[in-house]
Amino acid sequence: MPIQGSANQFVCDLVAYEPGKPVEETARELGLRPEEIIKLASNENPLGPSPRAKEAMRAAIEEGQLYPDGGGWKLRHAVAGRHDLEIQNVVLGNGSNEIIELLCHCFLNRETSLIAAEHAFVVYKLMATLFGANYVEVPDPGFVHDLDAMAEAITAETRLVFIANPNNPTGTLVGESQIDRFMEKVPDHVVVVFDEAYHEFLEDAPDTVRYVREGRNVCVMRTFSKAQGLAALRIGYGLASASVADLLNRARQPFNANAIAQAGALAALHDDEHVARTVDNNNEGLLFLQKAFEERGLRYVPSVANFVLVEVGDGDAVFSAMLSRGVIVRAMRGYKLPGWVRISIGTPSQNKRCLEVLDEVLISA
Ligand SMILES: *Cc1c(COP(=O)(O)O)cnc(C)c1O
């Protein structure tokens, strides 16, 4: 009997997450040097890690024989302070992706459901499937979360509602007044999750941490992977009411956040200069690419994050043709958007090169 017969059916049903294509692999396949490849596929920081984080991580390596502080005291304390919360409100994760998984561990099973928007971050669906729960997808006209419809979709079985704000891959935001109206309608048996991985890029961010302070059943997720440039380290956190945070802390592994990552994140948390530089570079790049799309008559979704979704005809073909010219973007078939690609904002020279390659590819298509 094939071993699949012994496995959980919902694991067999799972379609594995497809990450952005790595630089090393692409270089090998094309016979190029890694420095010749431009990766604009995973919304990483084109300016690199926070310099303060790099210094702190180098120092932390010297104590590499020791297990990390499993309670993450220093980092949680600093994060709590930054948000005017208590340490009991902070849960560290191996990337904020782990916080998603911990929420599912705590609240999902075959009798329950998770609600998310039609073009929401794909990991929610993967996790719901992995836990055998029902995944309820709510249409998002114009690629914007429809919070009224999401509130109406809540039933007695609903345990989690995910609001990615701004959402990936659409780059769209829902505002504070819509969120407040939504929160008035959410019953107590539901945890609302605000996935705010791109929070630092926003000019006028809705205040959702207020709901944590008010003791509502919410979890606000943030990450060091994007604006702070620490994606390799896998560190993020959830801010939640003490009762929700306590559940999440029971579900995690004792040393889920490694010591190098904790040291880097603690330093990055105070590196406002690096974030400011990153945001300036991003604003400039977004403007440049979106203006170029407009001039070419390409449809795109105006973004507030560090990436932009653009309609190119055949997304898989454009992805492959750009890849063969050394520029990695992301095809969107997995999001049921086969005509689109998602491009992360790079440095000015990377953006320029990306556009040149896109032009070559679209002309020869
Ligand atoms: C990038 C991203 C994350 C962050 O993932 P990490 O595990 O912290 O690296 C979370 N949510 C969304 C929507 C993202 O795009």
Side-chain angles (χ1 to χ4, degrees):
M1 190 180 80
I3 193 63
Q4 276 75 7
S6 315
N8 287 319
Q9 188 56 45
F10 44 83
V11 178
C12 300
D13 292 345
L14 208 61
V15 181
Y17 179 75
E18 226 180 288
K21 205 166 161 69
V23 169
E24 288 281 344
E25 186 183 319
T26 308
R28 223 167 26 241
E29 286 171 8
L30 296 177
L32 295 172
R33 285 176 293 122
E35 304 80 61
E36 295 173 277
I37 308 290
I38 295 175
K39 185 184 178 203
L40 300 174
S42 301
N43 308 338
E44 292 145 337
N45 191 325
L47 306 185
S50 147
R52 292 206 203 176
K54 284 205 275 190
E55 200 183 315
M57 291 190 291
R58 279 193 202 99
I61 287 173
E62 298 302 325
E63 305 248 279
Q65 81 284 8
L66 300 176
Y67 278 100
D69 172 5
W73 195 88
K74 271 194 198 158
L75 180 56
R76 285 170 66 217
H77 188 75
V79 166
R82 194 86 193 195
H83 296 288
D84 200 12
L85 291 169
E86 302 298 323
I87 191 167
Q88 310 88 273
N89 299 118
V90 184
V91 183
L92 301 183
N94 189 258
S96 56
N97 266 279
E98 194 194 15
I99 305 291
I100 303 173
E101 186 175 356
L102 296 179
L103 285 159
C104 295
H105 265 300
C106 291
F107 297 103
L108 296 189
N109 58 46
R110 286 170 205 226
E111 278 75 51
T112 61
S113 67
L114 179 164
I115 296 175
E118 187 180 353
H119 297 101
F121 188 43
V122 75
V123 173
Y124 314 144
K125 189 179 196 165
L126 286 179
M127 287 297 163
T129 310
L130 192 57
F131 288 84
N134 186 22
Y135 183 74
V136 179
E137 213 169 79
V138 177
D140 50 4
F143 296 119
V144 183
H145 281 46
D146 180 348
L147 292 192
D148 290 331
M150 289 175 80
E152 269 169 43
I154 294 174
T155 66
E157 284 73 47
T158 307
R159 292 295 177 275
L160 299 172
V161 180
F162 276 81
I163 300 171
N165 212 31
N167 182 44
N168 170 16
T170 58
T172 56
L173 188 78
V174 285
E176 191 161 287
S177 59
Q178 284 151 285
I179 290 172
D180 289 346
R181 195 168 70 214
F182 172 79
M183 288 302 294
E184 280 173 22
K185 299 184 225 170
V186 176
D188 281 343
H189 69 279
V190 172
V191 177
V192 179
V193 186
F194 295 100
D195 185 346
E196 300 183 351
Y198 303 95
H199 175 82
E200 291 83 355
F201 294 99
L202 300 177
E203 232 159 69
D204 196 12
D207 178 11
T208 49
V209 178
R210 174 166 64 87
Y211 288 110
V212 178
R213 282 184 219 109
E214 289 173 5
R216 292 287 303 269
N217 293 327
V218 301
C219 179
V220 178
M221 300 193 305
R222 302 274 176 91
T223 181
F224 291 95
S225 297
K226 307 285 159 60
Q228 281 84 8
L230 299 181
L233 276 299
R234 313 305 307 122
I235 182 109
Y237 56 90
L239 305 173
S241 58
S243 48
V244 171
D246 175 56
L247 289 166
L248 298 176
N249 267 317
R250 290 173 197 223
R252 68 180 178 85
Q253 289 194 26
F255 303 111
N256 63 330
N258 76 73
I260 315 294
Q262 286 190 41
L266 183 62
L269 192 68
H270 299 109
D271 196 346
D272 293 332
E273 290 92 7
H274 187 64
V275 171
R277 271 193 304 273
T278 300
V279 171
D280 284 348
N281 175 74
N282 192 65
N283 288 340
E284 190 187 323
L286 251 185
L287 216 61
F288 169 78
L289 282 182
Q290 295 190 153
K291 183 160 169 280
F293 297 153
E294 240 151 66
E295 286 164 2
R296 286 156 180 75
L298 293 172
R299 188 173 158 217
Y300 68 95
V301 183
S303 171
V304 295
N306 67 345
F307 54 84
V308 56
L309 198 57
V310 57
E311 196 174 26
V312 291
D314 182 341
D316 288 338
V318 167
F319 161 78
S320 300
M322 290 182 78
L323 185 70
S324 71
R325 290 163 169 82
V327 178
I328 316 173
V329 297
R330 198 71 161 265
M332 289 283 114
R333 181 175 298 281
Y335 284 90
K336 289 181 281 178
L337 297 169
W340 301 69
V341 295
R342 190 194 67 198
I343 301 177
S344 306
I345 308 304
T347 61
S349 67
Q350 288 176 329
N351 299 333
K352 192 161 158 280
R353 176 70 191 140
C354 173
L355 192 62
E356 283 166 11
V357 166
L358 181 65
D359 280 338
E360 286 170 28
V361 163
L362 289 179
I363 284 166
S364 58

